């Protein structure tokens, strides 16, 4: 059974930083796309960043490019989202997702993602 467990969320002031972690268990292949998504209250879910496990290929939404960095530690089956220069607009619940193979076009809409975590809340407020 595949499980994704996020951690690292919390409350920080604008301009601060956080690092989210997602531990993947039960996935038998090492060829997968891992993504981070977020959903703010009353808003549609949006893709933030994604990474293909077999190459340092990363993808970012334009709203976070240059501020967020996705990375992976395959030995620990963990994907990270380093978030810097956080803004109130980044407030949301952040979800980790996984799907087989390279990240597909449409990954930001969840296309190709078969498994999802339960999310970790992030609040940016002064």
């Amino acid at each position: 059974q595949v499980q994704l467990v996020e951690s690292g969320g919390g409350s920080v002031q604008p301009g601060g930083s956080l690092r989210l972690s997602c531990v993947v268990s039960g996935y038998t292949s090492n060829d997968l796309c891992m993504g981070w998504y977020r959903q703010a209250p009353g808003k549609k879910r949006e893709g933030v960043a994604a990474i293909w496990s077999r190459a340092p290929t990363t993808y970012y939404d334009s709203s976070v490019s240059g501020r967020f960095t996705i990375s992976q530690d395959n030995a620990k089956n963990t994907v990270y989202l380093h978030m810097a220069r956080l803004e109130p607009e980044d407030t949301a619940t952040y979800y980790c997702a996984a799907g087989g193979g390279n990240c597909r076009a449409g990954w930001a809409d969840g296309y190709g993602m078969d498994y999802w975590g339960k999310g970790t809340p992030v609040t940016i407020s002064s």
Side-chain angles (χ1 to χ4, degrees):
Q1 181 179 358
V2 178
Q3 287 190 320
L4 284 69
V5 180
E6 305 97 333
S7 63
S11 181
V12 298
Q13 294 185 339
S17 301
L18 279 175
R19 187 184 77 164
L20 306 182
S21 300
C22 174
V23 178
V24 184
S25 62
Y27 211 99
T28 57
S29 171
N30 63 355
D31 181 8
L32 68 163
C33 174
M34 296 292 302
W36 283 99
Y37 297 77
R38 65 186 181 186
Q39 187 167 21
K43 294 190 176 181
K44 180 183 175 183
R45 184 188 67 198
E46 60 180 357
V48 174
I51 187 168
W52 184 35
S53 63
R54 289 197 168 182
T57 305
T58 56
Y59 309 85
Y60 295 96
D61 182 75
S62 59
S63 66
V64 305
S65 182
R67 298 189 299 123
F68 291 11
T69 303
I70 189 169
S71 62
Q72 60 188 4
D73 184 336
N74 290 337
K76 296 182 178 180
N77 295 326
T78 301
V79 175
Y80 303 98
L81 185 67
H82 303 254
M83 307 187 294
R85 303 200 310 274
L86 285 160
E87 304 168 351
E89 293 73 22
D90 296 316
T91 295
T93 297
Y94 283 70
Y95 300 89
C96 178
N102 197 355
C103 302
R104 296 165 173 75
W107 68 267
D109 293 321
Y111 183 65
M113 297 300 184
D114 301 314
Y115 303 98
W116 294 80
K118 294 183 178 181
T120 184
V122 172
T123 302
I124 313 303
S125 174
S126 55

